[in-house]
Every structure is written in C-alpha cells, then in structure tokens.
Amino acid sequence: MQKMPIGKYLNLDTGKISIDRILSHYRFDKEQAIQIRKVRPQIEQRIEEILDGFYEFIFNFEHAKRFIDTEERLSMHRQLLRSWLLSLFNGRYDDAYFNYLNRISEIHVHIGLPTHYVNAAFSYLRESFNKVLIEEDLLGLIHIVNRVIDINLDLLSLS
C-alpha cells in the first residue's frame, strides 16, 4: 500500500491531523470500528503470547537491545505496548487515541528509531493478529484489522 503524503491528512487552517480524513482515505467507517471490537476478546486472551513473540522478534535488532536494556524498561515497555495493542481493538479512534499515537511517534523520533524497525514490528504484529483471526475462525474481520494496522503504521511513520 502506498503511503499518502502528510499534507493529505492535515487541516491546513489548524495544522492538526484530520481523523475523519485519515479514516475515510482507508475507507474505515463506524460500522467497521464496531466490528473490530469482536476481535478484542481473542487478542486479549492471547496477548501474552503475542508480546512474547514480539520481544523475541525485536531483540534481533541491536537498536531494541540498546533502548530496552534493563528488566525495568522491558516491563514498562511491555505494559505500554500491551495497553496500546488492546486499544487497537476498542473501536474508538478519536482525538485522544490519535494524540496517543503522536506521542508514541515523538518517542520514536527522540530515540532515533529507524522507520524500518517500526515497519518490521508492524509486520510481526499483523502476522500475529491474522494468525489469531484464522485460528478463531474470524476470517471476515481480517481486512478490518489490517486497515487499523495500516492506519496506525502510517500515523506512527509520519514524523
């Protein structure tokens, strides 16, 4: 999927990102936001398994080892990641949610996290979520989950 330039997302009068514009570009509507809530119980049930695999995957990158270098940082990062991953399936994509994504993006910039690390991490998460959906016979929701992942990936890559 080709990324849209940031200008397509901005309200030129306020300089703020337009949530409605982003969601409409992905053809993501309120009905799909409601449907995605059906996935949360299955993801919540397997979140520890997903997180274990995620950290095994990202610790192949030297940058992750430098940034998450103590048990305390790992615990804090894991807690924040768990919270954010579960929020993907709340069906609420409002100013507060997008402001939270912006803070995550700013942290990535602050620590110098290369975009390809973010892309690789999202690739792992997409595979993990799709695996859960396949195993739980929720194939009809894969396209909605993938849209939410794409939206989040684009927003986290804007900075």
Side-chain angles (χ1 to χ4, degrees):
M1 173 173 230
Q2 183 178 355
K3 287 189 178 186
M4 289 186 201
I6 189 169
K8 298 237 182 202
Y9 295 142
L10 285 176
N11 176 325
L12 297 176
D13 295 327
T14 65
K16 291 180 76 173
I17 292 175
S18 169
I19 296 167
D20 291 336
R21 182 170 278 174
I22 291 168
L23 297 179
S24 71
H25 282 196
Y26 283 93
R27 296 187 179 129
F28 190 84
D29 58 30
K30 291 180 184 188
E31 180 59 35
Q32 291 170 325
I34 291 167
Q35 289 179 5
I36 203 164
R37 293 178 192 162
K38 296 175 184 175
V39 177
R40 185 179 167 113
Q42 287 75 18
I43 298 297
E44 202 164 10
Q45 207 170 41
R46 299 185 49 192
I47 192 68
E48 295 306 319
E49 173 189 335
I50 292 168
L51 289 170
D52 288 345
F54 177 82
Y55 286 105
E56 183 179 320
F57 175 76
I58 68 160
F59 282 131
N60 288 310
F61 303 123
E62 288 301 318
H63 196 79
K65 293 175 190 173
R66 287 193 309 259
F67 174 65
I68 305 173
D69 59 349
T70 66
E71 287 298 319
E72 182 181 334
R73 284 189 184 178
L74 176 60
S75 177
M76 182 178 68
H77 190 272
R78 188 178 177 110
Q79 179 182 353
L80 292 170
L81 183 61
R82 177 188 297 110
S83 175
W84 172 63
L85 292 179
L86 292 175
S87 73
L88 288 173
F89 303 100
N90 282 341
R92 285 188 310 266
Y93 310 105
D94 54 12
D95 282 335
Y97 181 82
F98 285 99
N99 287 336
Y100 181 65
L101 284 182
N102 189 51
R103 286 194 306 274
I104 293 171
S105 184
E106 288 172 359
I107 290 168
H108 289 168
V109 170
H110 177 72
I111 65 170
L113 187 66
T115 303
H116 66 275
Y117 286 2
V118 175
N119 292 341
F122 268 85
S123 177
Y124 173 82
L125 292 171
R126 182 187 311 273
E127 288 175 21
S128 297
F129 296 151
N130 286 343
K131 178 182 173 192
V132 169
L133 293 172
I134 290 166
E135 291 174 359
E136 297 292 330
D137 198 26
L138 294 170
L139 298 174
L141 297 173
I142 285 178
H143 71 286
I144 296 171
V145 170
N146 285 331
R147 281 187 187 154
V148 167
I149 291 169
D150 288 339
I151 291 166
N152 280 264
L153 176 58
D154 274 358
L155 289 171
L156 286 173
S157 299
L158 285 178
S159 295

